[in-house]
Amino acid sequence: MRNARKRGAAGNANPGTGASAPGVSGDNSDGGYNAGMAVFSYIIGGIIVWSLIGWGLDYLWGTRWIVLAGALLGAVGGFYLSHMHGLTSSRKKAGDRPAASGPSKDGDTNAK
């Protein structure tokens, strides 16, 4: 039973692609919705966790400002994590070319 789990987990891994964020495919073929939700959850999760840590330290030390510093640290940390997972940049694969810019090549046939 234990070996079957290991084989199943190893079969799903993408060798050579590095770690991906939870819920986001390695080839980003599922659009930006999952990546956006992952970025949102990293940032909100960071704010909640570090605000709670700041609140606890405020309670212990009798201060009031550490909870705000924790919220800011959590937001920055969440954005940093999402950036390091490659969720905030629009990288193009080798060979992908952006859409052509400028006027269309069909001339004025569609102009009214």
Side-chain angles (χ1 to χ4, degrees):
M1 181 80 166
R2 177 175 274 176
N3 292 335
R5 285 185 191 164
K6 286 183 181 179
R7 276 182 280 162
N12 292 336
N14 294 334
T17 59
S20 179
V24 179
S25 67
D27 60 354
N28 291 331
S29 63
D30 55 352
Y33 180 77
N34 286 342
M37 289 303 292
V39 170
F40 179 75
S41 63
Y42 280 145
I43 292 173
I44 296 300
I47 289 172
I48 290 171
V49 167
W50 286 101
S51 292
L52 287 173
I53 291 171
W55 177 76
L57 291 175
D58 276 339
Y59 181 76
L60 288 174
W61 294 337
T63 59
R64 291 183 168 179
W65 59 272
I66 300 176
V67 67
L68 297 175
L72 182 63
L73 178 68
V76 170
F79 185 78
Y80 174 77
L81 279 177
S82 62
H83 181 71
M84 293 309 291
H85 280 260
L87 299 173
T88 58
S89 62
S90 58
R91 297 182 197 158
K92 300 207 182 310
K93 297 177 190 168
D96 286 351
R97 293 166 48 192
S101 62
S104 64
K105 304 271 189 228
D106 63 353
D108 293 332
T109 58
N110 294 331
K112 293 186 178 183

